[in-house]
Amino acid sequence: MLIAIIAFTVALPSQAIEKPATVDPVVCAVDVEAQMVRPWQDYEFSHQTPGGPMWLAGRGCFLSAADVSRAYLARGPLLGVREQAITQLHLARYLAYGGDEVAAAQAAASARRSDQRTGQEIPLDWNSYVQGLYAFLVKDRPLLDANLERLRASPNQGDAVNGRNLAALSSCFNRSYYEAMTDATCWAPETPAP
């Protein structure tokens, strides 16, 4: 189901990051104008379309992915609350992977949602995940722990996935986001469901 894929894309455990961060101008080149006219769904989630943010991130071009995401928010199609929040969250993660955790925290602070989730979206506590990410980036341990516990207490599968991400951040709280997301020692083994 496409809607479930979209919701989980923002929360997949980040061991999927295959390349170290790079700013190589050849590897990270992007035609920004071509990205601005792409429909949001394709722009935001396609791993195959050259120059898109997930395509760039898959090559380690995290800051280029952040740049094109920032441009899309400012110059691309006008987005609804849901779409803007997802793009802001992805922007925060690209910046954090690229080492700019101050800018990442600012982007994460803008990723909370004020709208009601629709019945077409999988149930998950979006704002707790966003606040937990923000807490890690600004090194607010109590805020991270509170949001992690909310996700752990949830019966929703999406919250379990997001909780694993926050647990990795909690486990490696004093490290960079990139290290916490890519170092296997930060990730506790999954507990089998009863």
Side-chain angles (χ1 to χ4, degrees):
M1 172 183 232
L2 184 57
I3 294 178
I5 292 169
I6 291 169
F8 281 112
T9 301
V10 298
L12 283 175
S14 299
Q15 294 99 330
I17 297 297
E18 299 171 9
K19 304 279 184 185
T22 183
V23 292
D24 182 311
V26 174
V27 175
C28 300
V30 60
D31 179 351
V32 174
E33 296 307 317
Q35 300 305 310
M36 297 304 102
V37 298
R38 289 176 60 193
W40 177 80
Q41 180 96 7
D42 176 60
Y43 166 81
E44 196 61 50
F45 297 105
S46 174
H47 293 268
Q48 287 78 36
T49 305
M54 288 197 171
W55 182 86
L56 288 163
R59 282 147 184 77
C61 302
F62 305 115
L63 296 179
S64 292
D67 287 344
V68 76
S69 291
R70 192 178 298 112
Y72 195 82
L73 285 165
R75 298 174 33 211
L78 289 175
L79 303 176
V81 172
R82 174 183 174 269
E83 291 80 15
Q84 186 160 354
I86 290 170
T87 301
Q88 281 288 121
L89 177 63
H90 288 175
L91 169 60
R93 293 185 73 201
Y94 300 140
L95 288 164
Y97 273 119
D100 191 347
E101 293 188 4
V102 171
Q106 291 173 330
S110 299
R112 293 187 309 148
R113 290 178 62 174
S114 62
D115 65 328
Q116 295 296 317
R117 297 184 63 78
T118 69
Q120 295 177 328
E121 296 178 79
I122 66 166
L124 60 80
D125 185 347
W126 174 267
N127 288 338
S128 288
Y129 178 62
V130 169
Q131 288 175 334
L133 171 61
Y134 170 81
F136 173 82
L137 294 168
V138 299
K139 299 305 182 203
D140 183 337
R141 170 64 88 175
L143 183 60
L144 174 59
D145 290 344
N147 285 286
L148 174 56
E149 289 311 310
R150 270 196 289 282
L151 295 182
R152 283 181 171 159
S154 171
N156 299 323
Q157 184 180 9
D159 290 332
V161 173
N162 287 341
R164 283 198 70 228
N165 285 350
L166 292 189
L169 296 177
S170 179
S171 177
C172 291
F173 185 74
N174 292 319
R175 297 177 69 186
S176 73
Y177 180 83
Y178 183 89
E179 292 169 330
M181 291 288 97
T182 61
D183 186 337
T185 64
C186 298
W187 292 82
E190 286 189 59
T191 306

